[in-house]
Amino acid sequence: MAGNKGLTSPQEDYSRWYNEVVLKAELADYSPVKGTMVIRPYGYTLWENVQEQLDRRFKETGHVNAYFPLFIPMSFLEKEAEHVEGFSPELAVVTHAGGKELEEPLVVRPTSETIIGYMYSKWVRSYRDLPILINQWANVVRWELRTRLFLRTSEFLWQEGHTAHATREEAMEETLRILDLYADFAENEAAIPVIKGIKTERERFAGAVASYTIEAMMGNGWALQSGTSHFLGQNFAKAFDIKFLDQNNQLQYAWTTSWGVSTRMVGAIIMAHGDERGLRLPPRLAPIQVVIVPIWRQAADGKAILAKAQEIATALKGASVRVKVDDREQYQPGYKFNEWELRGVPLRIELGPRDLAANKVVLARRDRPAREGKTTVALSDLTTTVQSLLTEIQASMLSTARAFRDAHTHSVSSYDEFKEYLASEGGFFRVYWAGSNEDEAHIKEETKATIRCLPFDQPEGEGTCFYTGKRTNQVAIFARAY
Amino acid sequence: MAGNKGLTSPQEDYSRWYNEVVLKAELADYSPVKGTMVIRPYGYTLWENVQEQLDRRFKETGHVNAYFPLFIPMSFLEKEAEHVEGFSPELAVVTHAGGKELEEPLVVRPTSETIIGYMYSKWVRSYRDLPILINQWANVVRWELRTRLFLRTSEFLWQEGHTAHATREEAMEETLRILDLYADFAENEAAIPVIKGIKTERERFAGAVASYTIEAMMGNGWALQSGTSHFLGQNFAKAFDIKFLDQNNQLQYAWTTSWGVSTRMVGAIIMAHGDERGLRLPPRLAPIQVVIVPIWRQAADGKAILAKAQEIATALKGASVRVKVDDREQYQPGYKFNEWELRGVPLRIELGPRDLAANKVVLARRDRPAREGKTTVALSDLTTTVQSLLTEIQASMLSTARAFRDAHTHSVSSYDEFKEYLASEGGFFRVYWAGSNEDEAHIKEETKATIRCLPFDQPEGEGTCFYTGKRTNQVAIFARAY
């Protein structure tokens, strides 16, 4: 498939390709404030669709939304030692407000475990007050030195779930229920296959007992952590005094969890599916699922074709298809094809005078190369064909992404082999692992690859650690990561 | 109607009643950061319902959502002289981030005209790029000395629309289209009648050419500004250089508007409808529209009644009714009745052993006193009866609020009479007005009443200004306001 005019090829310079796609597809723009971004309507609508599908899943599993303050007293963060250590370098601090210097500086939330923990300690008295299953949609700020649109920005949007439970078991069940929910969202809405697993100690959330993750492979073989779910044990309950009387009238500390998916997910969608022609959006999340491009040379044809295009759009809208008619007169059809391919619209309808006369249209799939993706359809069958094609494209994008990931997942038996493959092929490395924290740090220093997770899907038998040579029954996924 | 146990009567102390309702109904809670609040799930769900109904209207009128950064360089605010003057006293300022002092302090947005104006200047080149019809759902910060849950908090949630147009006429049409949209929302979703009008110069948004408002009457006769729509002329376009080539290839400044509704709307709903028993929520926005309270004395009855309650709930959910079964075993039915009345649920279903045996339930309306609001309904008619009652309650709440407002709107012909009525009766004063800015300031100083707006609904003929004695054809609405 030929590339899109003016778009750097992803093979040539993946990072540049990514930035160009984000800007040219009008997903986002740089903002005048260093490290922050503007999410433009097309990118924000994609995020709204992500939100809608996640939010539906949260509510179906008994969660409710709430809103906690943006500002957190510095002293709150200091109550959990690991937490403050992890977040201190990234904090933005309000020192003046209302024309005066504040007595205590306020931190702009980097995450909300502390202030939410404080409120839970006020709300929880008895086991009857548990569980608390609250989620918040919010902006958070983590001051980053090296930023990247959607992937790493000083301010980003996310949801952060914070739950409190009476028992360890319930909190652990919740942590894993959410991980499953995230994986279900990634695969069935974003068409991105993910690997579920647990983070090693080095990569654990600051203050958590255990951090779980879904890891996805991007088009350059790197990993993107696409959602995390943390089992916080009683760490925050002890720091914030979240206590309750249990059924035996004994005072107990609660068990808490936290979990989040952010606007990084938009970056994941771009990089898991994009190609040399630009974005490819999964139909279930695409802001525009179908674009209709009317084609005419003689002005006399224009009016009838535009009217027909609107008629088709109305019919598709009636069937809950998100459709747009590109009726701009200043551009040629070829220009429009390129633009909507760049912007990743899953399905294009071409409508010209000859098609109109024959009561037909041409359908072009974004996920298939030019000829292979084209079919001619009778107008009478259009709605059902569009609906079934959208379903097919969604499924096909997931299986394509899965096949790509599997083809780029290697198993190596020595560190030399690992380094060689990492340099030549990249991708994921599913390897037996019995190393230490220090070994992991050393590998990162030498190769920039990290353990993405210890996947849930572990082998039945033993093998030899590729790095230490020790026998082990544990497998890890190594990769370069964003 | 008797009051709710433990709730201060609104007649006795309206302000205390308000705070108690917010806290006891679990709409919100105080936060440890001065002047900020925690919106609890029940209050946040109400806000989500407000959001959904506004957002639907925005999208139906061609608007799209986007997201702009939280932080704005101080220098941006300074580009529009009136704007910076208006907002300076309320700014929260980030001076340190990532462990370092920032070169230029960043303001936490109090509103986003400036940063959005900057971005529009980058995006707009030609008349074909206009109009831009963008809305943002966001948190904003205005450091307030005297705060009030929902009504005035240092951080609040809102939507802010920012549009840019090629002509003055289009921008003015947009300004008024949104004002109509807000009024339609207030009346048809929140059941709050509003007065549309224009603000006087004193009350105008900092930087606007003209500010339009919808003003609602609260239960104590005070006014609450419930939404504003500003015609910004070319003020911000000139400050941020938003220019475009028009159809004649002439460079022109764009015309912009901005408009917002905030979490204050939740305060409006509480105060427009609440009574001595607590909240009364309009069915279209109520998080829970129907609560089912099962009633039994003998444990043997409990199981069958709970099963029936769940069966009814399932049927109602199937008809898109938001329903909850209160199956808590630790509370008596009377306690539950009080609690759900306090929390404003529009309709209660009581289900006891005798009802069950007769295939009937008792329905109790929140908006009517105890006996008057009760009816017995056969189970077979329940869903249709519930649906029609919810519609009836919605309409009845609007007409009750309108009758209340009209009964508390006075017309006076002298300043003495004005002061006398304001002190004894309160309410709105619809008066002929030919005063100056200074007169308005003087009245505020003496009486705390302000001009809420010059209503669109103006009289046909002339009259005498109640303050200056001059003849005029202009009428103003004066009131005490939040």
Side-chain angles (χ1 to χ4, degrees):
Chain A
M1 195 187 286
N4 201 310
K5 248 191 297 182
L7 181 66
T8 297
S9 143
Q11 282 75 34
E12 194 186 312
D13 185 341
Y14 196 75
S15 171
R16 195 164 155 189
W17 167 85
Y18 177 79
N19 283 334
E20 285 179 6
V21 167
V22 171
L23 297 172
K24 284 173 194 268
E26 297 187 357
L27 293 171
D29 202 350
Y30 294 110
S31 114
V33 178
K34 198 186 139 294
T36 69
M37 70 189 285
V38 172
I39 307 179
R40 299 188 71 170
Y42 195 60
Y44 197 83
T45 306
L46 180 54
W47 174 240
E48 284 182 313
N49 293 344
V50 168
Q51 286 188 298
E52 186 184 340
Q53 295 304 331
L54 282 173
D55 202 67
R56 176 171 65 77
R57 286 173 169 78
F58 297 152
K59 285 173 178 160
E60 281 170 3
T61 47
H63 301 85
V64 284
N65 291 329
Y67 188 76
F68 296 84
L70 173 68
F71 297 142
I72 302 179
M74 185 63 103
S75 58
F76 276 40
L77 269 83
E78 290 161 357
K79 289 193 183 181
E80 216 291 335
E82 283 187 20
H83 193 67
V84 71
E85 194 191 323
F87 283 103
S88 273
E90 306 184 341
L91 299 176
V93 186
V94 174
T95 54
H96 292 72
K100 289 186 183 164
E101 185 166 356
L102 296 171
E103 285 179 25
E104 182 181 1
L106 294 172
V107 166
V108 183
R109 64 178 162 226
T111 179
S112 302
E113 280 76 7
T114 57
I115 195 152
I116 293 180
Y118 175 89
M119 296 309 297
Y120 284 5
S121 74
K122 288 179 66 177
W123 296 340
V124 174
R125 291 285 167 268
S126 141
Y127 70 94
R128 293 189 198 273
D129 300 323
L130 296 172
I132 301 184
L133 304 174
I134 285 182
N135 174 60
Q136 153 167 292
W137 291 95
N139 53 345
V140 284
V141 170
R142 297 177 187 178
W143 212 256
E144 299 277 0
L145 287 179
R146 304 170 87 190
T147 58
R148 209 103 204 257
L149 295 163
F150 287 114
L151 299 177
R152 178 166 278 116
T153 47
S154 293
E155 180 192 6
F156 58 91
L157 304 182
W158 78 345
Q159 58 70 215
E160 47 179 325
H162 295 271
T163 69
H165 307 263
T167 66
R168 186 184 207 290
E169 292 62 39
E170 279 182 42
M172 186 53 91
E173 270 171 31
E174 168 77 5
T175 309
L176 297 177
R177 181 183 303 118
I178 294 297
L179 196 74
D180 284 343
L181 184 158
Y182 284 163
D184 178 68
F185 166 83
E187 306 209 339
N188 294 310
E189 307 292 347
I192 300 176
V194 292
I195 295 173
K196 291 187 278 189
I198 188 168
K199 288 283 182 189
T200 58
E201 196 189 320
R202 273 180 60 83
E203 304 276 334
R204 194 184 287 157
F205 176 76
V209 172
S211 285
Y212 298 88
T213 178
I214 52 169
E215 298 283 330
M217 185 183 284
M218 303 296 99
N220 62 347
W222 288 28
L224 187 80
Q225 174 182 304
S226 306
T228 48
S229 185
H230 310 293
F231 173 70
L232 304 176
Q234 295 181 314
N235 292 353
F236 286 86
K238 285 180 178 166
F240 289 91
D241 212 32
I242 312 175
K243 279 189 294 211
F244 67 97
L245 281 174
D246 70 11
Q247 283 173 284
N248 305 317
N249 228 26
Q250 299 294 308
L251 208 54
Q252 305 275 4
Y253 283 109
W255 299 81
T256 68
T257 82
S258 69
W259 29 275
V261 159
S262 74
T263 34
R264 280 201 121 190
M265 182 57 81
V266 174
I269 292 166
I270 299 165
M271 290 195 292
H273 301 303
D275 64 16
E276 52 285 303
R277 301 194 65 72
L279 271 182
R280 289 195 314 154
L281 295 177
R284 289 188 58 89
L285 298 178
I288 302 168
Q289 297 174 310
V290 177
V291 64
I292 304 177
V293 179
I295 303 169
W296 72 92
R297 290 228 174 77
Q298 283 152 342
D301 294 330
K303 206 173 163 185
I305 286 175
L306 272 178
K308 195 58 167 185
Q310 294 296 353
E311 188 189 315
I312 293 171
T314 304
L316 289 173
K317 271 177 206 164
S320 295
V321 175
R322 297 188 287 271
V323 60
K324 183 186 172 72
V325 177
D326 186 351
D327 57 5
R328 292 175 299 174
E329 293 185 0
Q330 70 268 37
Y331 298 118
Q332 294 297 315
Y335 178 95
K336 294 179 180 179
F337 293 176
N338 264 327
E339 179 171 323
W340 295 114
E341 280 171 7
L342 177 78
R343 301 187 81 181
V345 174
L347 207 51
R348 177 175 76 226
I349 296 178
E350 303 170 11
L351 179 64
R354 255 186 276 174
D355 304 311
L356 186 62
N359 273 312
K360 289 182 173 175
V361 295
V362 174
L363 289 181
R365 287 173 65 157
R366 173 64 181 88
D367 65 326
R368 293 282 160 83
R371 257 179 232 166
E372 193 193 318
K374 280 203 180 189
T375 40
T376 303
V377 180
L379 274 177
S380 54
D381 299 334
L382 186 60
T383 301
T384 49
T385 306
V386 163
Q387 286 175 318
S388 67
L389 268 179
L390 290 175
T391 306
E392 197 182 316
I393 293 169
Q394 179 81 27
S396 166
M397 286 179 72
L398 176 61
S399 62
T400 301
R402 181 171 281 130
F404 178 85
R405 184 192 67 187
D406 293 348
H408 292 82
T409 299
H410 314 290
S411 109
V412 289
S413 51
S414 76
Y415 187 45
D416 281 343
E417 201 187 349
F418 173 84
K419 286 191 282 191
E420 195 188 307
Y421 264 87
L422 187 68
S424 63
E425 310 267 322
F428 283 10
F429 293 82
R430 189 179 153 88
V431 288
Y432 278 100
W433 173 249
S436 64
N437 270 350
E438 290 68 38
D439 295 333
E440 199 182 331
H442 183 247
I443 293 174
K444 184 178 181 181
E445 211 182 292
E446 273 205 351
T447 68
K448 294 186 180 160
T450 49
I451 299 184
R452 303 319 305 151
C453 66
L454 307 174
F456 288 172
D457 175 26
Q458 287 285 335
E460 295 288 316
E462 277 197 346
T464 307
C465 170
F466 81 108
Y467 188 77
T468 62
K470 287 179 201 157
R471 293 294 287 175
T472 176
N473 58 7
Q474 177 180 269
V475 150
I477 307 282
F478 274 85
R480 290 288 300 271
Y482 282 99
Chain B
M1 195 187 286
N4 201 309
K5 250 192 294 182
L7 182 66
T8 298
S9 143
Q11 283 74 36
E12 194 185 312
D13 185 340
Y14 196 74
S15 170
R16 195 164 155 189
W17 167 84
Y18 176 80
N19 283 335
E20 286 180 6
V21 167
V22 171
L23 296 173
K24 283 172 194 270
E26 297 188 357
L27 292 171
D29 202 350
Y30 294 110
S31 114
V33 178
K34 199 187 138 291
T36 69
M37 71 189 285
V38 172
I39 306 180
R40 299 188 71 170
Y42 196 59
Y44 196 83
T45 306
L46 180 54
W47 175 241
E48 284 182 313
N49 293 344
V50 168
Q51 286 188 299
E52 186 185 340
Q53 295 305 329
L54 282 173
D55 201 67
R56 176 170 65 79
R57 286 172 168 79
F58 297 152
K59 286 174 177 161
E60 281 169 2
T61 48
H63 301 84
V64 284
N65 292 328
Y67 188 77
F68 297 84
L70 173 68
F71 296 142
I72 302 179
M74 185 63 104
S75 58
F76 276 40
L77 270 84
E78 291 161 357
K79 289 194 182 182
E80 217 290 334
E82 283 187 20
H83 192 68
V84 70
E85 195 190 323
F87 283 103
S88 273
E90 306 183 342
L91 299 177
V93 186
V94 174
T95 54
H96 291 72
K100 290 187 183 164
E101 185 166 357
L102 296 171
E103 284 179 25
E104 182 182 2
L106 295 172
V107 165
V108 184
R109 65 179 162 226
T111 179
S112 303
E113 280 77 6
T114 58
I115 196 154
I116 294 180
Y118 175 88
M119 295 309 298
Y120 284 6
S121 75
K122 289 178 65 176
W123 296 341
V124 174
R125 290 284 166 268
S126 139
Y127 70 94
R128 293 188 197 272
D129 300 323
L130 295 172
I132 301 185
L133 305 174
I134 284 182
N135 174 63
Q136 152 168 291
W137 291 96
N139 54 344
V140 284
V141 170
R142 297 177 187 178
W143 211 256
E144 300 276 0
L145 287 179
R146 304 170 85 191
T147 59
R148 210 98 205 258
L149 294 164
F150 288 114
L151 299 176
R152 180 165 275 115
T153 47
S154 292
E155 181 191 7
F156 58 91
L157 304 182
W158 77 346
Q159 59 69 214
E160 48 179 324
H162 295 270
T163 70
H165 307 263
T167 66
R168 187 184 208 290
E169 292 64 39
E170 278 182 43
M172 186 53 92
E173 271 171 30
E174 168 77 6
T175 308
L176 297 177
R177 181 183 304 119
I178 295 297
L179 195 74
D180 284 343
L181 184 158
Y182 285 163
D184 178 68
F185 165 83
E187 307 207 339
N188 293 311
E189 308 292 347
I192 300 175
V194 293
I195 295 173
K196 290 186 280 190
I198 188 167
K199 287 284 182 189
T200 58
E201 196 189 319
R202 272 181 59 83
E203 304 275 334
R204 194 183 288 157
F205 176 76
V209 172
S211 286
Y212 299 88
T213 179
I214 52 169
E215 298 283 330
M217 186 184 283
M218 304 296 98
N220 62 348
W222 287 30
L224 186 81
Q225 175 181 303
S226 306
T228 48
S229 185
H230 311 293
F231 173 69
L232 304 175
Q234 295 181 313
N235 291 354
F236 285 87
K238 284 179 179 166
F240 288 91
D241 212 34
I242 313 175
K243 280 188 294 208
F244 67 96
L245 281 174
D246 70 11
Q247 283 172 286
N248 305 316
N249 227 25
Q250 299 293 309
L251 208 55
Q252 305 275 4
Y253 283 109
W255 299 81
T256 68
T257 83
S258 69
W259 27 276
V261 159
S262 74
T263 34
R264 281 201 120 187
M265 182 56 81
V266 174
I269 292 166
I270 299 165
M271 290 195 291
H273 301 303
D275 65 15
E276 52 283 305
R277 301 194 65 72
L279 271 183
R280 289 195 315 152
L281 295 177
R284 289 189 55 90
L285 298 178
I288 302 168
Q289 296 174 311
V290 177
V291 64
I292 304 176
V293 179
I295 304 170
W296 71 92
R297 289 227 176 75
Q298 283 152 343
D301 294 330
K303 206 172 162 186
I305 286 175
L306 270 178
K308 195 60 169 182
Q310 292 297 352
E311 188 189 316
I312 294 171
T314 303
L316 288 172
K317 272 177 206 164
S320 296
V321 175
R322 297 187 287 271
V323 60
K324 183 186 172 72
V325 177
D326 185 351
D327 57 4
R328 292 175 298 173
E329 293 186 359
Q330 70 269 39
Y331 298 117
Q332 293 298 312
Y335 178 95
K336 294 179 180 179
F337 293 177
N338 264 327
E339 178 170 324
W340 296 114
E341 280 171 8
L342 177 77
R343 300 186 82 181
V345 174
L347 207 53
R348 178 176 75 226
I349 296 178
E350 303 170 9
L351 180 64
R354 255 186 275 172
D355 304 312
L356 186 63
N359 272 313
K360 288 180 174 178
V361 295
V362 175
L363 289 180
R365 286 174 65 158
R366 173 65 181 85
D367 66 325
R368 294 280 161 82
R371 259 180 228 165
E372 192 193 320
K374 281 204 179 190
T375 41
T376 302
V377 181
L379 273 177
S380 54
D381 299 333
L382 186 60
T383 300
T384 49
T385 307
V386 163
Q387 286 174 317
S388 67
L389 268 179
L390 290 174
T391 306
E392 197 182 317
I393 293 168
Q394 180 81 24
S396 168
M397 287 180 71
L398 176 61
S399 62
T400 301
R402 182 171 279 130
F404 178 86
R405 183 192 67 188
D406 292 348
H408 293 82
T409 299
H410 315 290
S411 112
V412 290
S413 52
S414 76
Y415 187 45
D416 281 343
E417 201 186 347
F418 174 83
K419 285 190 282 192
E420 195 188 308
Y421 265 88
L422 186 68
S424 63
E425 308 269 322
F428 283 11
F429 293 83
R430 189 179 154 90
V431 289
Y432 279 100
W433 173 249
S436 64
N437 269 349
E438 290 69 37
D439 294 335
E440 199 182 330
H442 183 246
I443 294 173
K444 182 178 183 181
E445 209 182 294
E446 275 206 351
T447 67
K448 294 186 182 161
T450 49
I451 298 184
R452 303 318 305 150
C453 65
L454 307 173
F456 288 171
D457 175 27
Q458 287 285 336
E460 295 288 317
E462 276 197 346
T464 306
C465 170
F466 81 108
Y467 188 78
T468 63
K470 288 179 200 157
R471 294 295 287 175
T472 177
N473 58 8
Q474 177 180 268
V475 150
I477 306 283
F478 274 85
R480 289 288 301 271
Y482 283 99

